[in-house]
Amino acid sequence: MEYTRAAKRRKFHFTYVTTCVVSNRRYYGMHSTDKVDDGYLGSGSQLRNSIRKHGEAAHKREVIEFFSNRELLREAEKRLVGPAEVQDPMCMNLISGGIAVLEPRGHAISPEHREKLNAAWKGKHHSEETK
């Protein structure tokens, strides 16, 4: 995978938490970069929805821990984002850490994951144009 090879060559590897200061919901992740303050907040769908709703300025990323390489980083994310965090309604992560997100579209979704996705969209209304 091209992205993974490029990420391995980055200078900094760290886990982080991005918190929405409006809702106090949080998103845990890992990031590899050459510049620590690159403005990256995360890539989760619920996090992106939160940023769309509240704006980037309402989200604060804090580095949790630095690692010397990508492999150690992936292991740390597995420990950081476990099933308990995924089930917490204040957590915006939909899956446990360390799981590759580059899976083909149409893959099977666990009932727990589907339930969390449905809860994230509950109460959202379509405009007349999108109905």
Side-chain angles (χ1 to χ4, degrees):
M1 288 182 207
E2 197 76 21
Y3 175 78
T4 305
R5 279 188 239 142
K8 285 181 180 180
R9 291 190 300 263
R10 300 292 182 212
K11 186 175 180 179
F12 301 104
H13 308 278
F14 57 88
T15 54
Y16 65 89
V17 59
T18 298
T19 305
C20 175
V21 297
V22 176
S23 66
N24 287 320
R25 293 187 75 207
R26 61 200 177 283
Y27 178 83
Y28 297 96
M30 64 181 200
H31 188 48
S32 295
T33 184
D34 289 325
K35 183 179 174 189
V36 175
D37 295 326
D38 60 2
Y40 182 76
L41 294 173
S43 62
S45 60
Q46 286 192 11
L47 175 62
R48 284 193 309 270
N49 290 339
S50 181
I51 292 169
R52 223 176 278 125
K53 181 177 182 177
H54 302 293
E56 281 188 23
H59 294 79
K60 178 182 169 187
R61 184 191 77 188
E62 297 173 74
V63 173
I64 297 171
E65 188 175 357
F66 286 95
F67 298 90
S68 59
N69 60 56
R70 187 81 175 174
E71 290 75 27
L72 292 174
L73 176 62
R74 186 172 299 282
E75 290 303 315
E77 192 192 32
K78 285 180 186 177
R79 292 187 304 272
L80 181 64
V81 187
E85 287 76 19
V86 171
Q87 295 301 318
D88 183 350
M90 294 305 287
C91 181
M92 290 186 266
N93 294 70
L94 295 176
I95 59 175
S96 295
I99 298 174
V101 294
L102 301 174
E103 296 177 16
R105 292 194 182 272
H107 64 280
I109 298 175
S110 71
E112 296 82 16
H113 187 177
R114 185 175 306 282
E115 195 173 304
K116 192 163 185 181
L117 285 170
N118 288 339
W121 285 99
K122 187 175 184 175
K124 305 278 193 268
H125 299 284
H126 289 279
S127 67
E128 289 300 318
E129 294 174 354
T130 61
K131 284 186 179 177

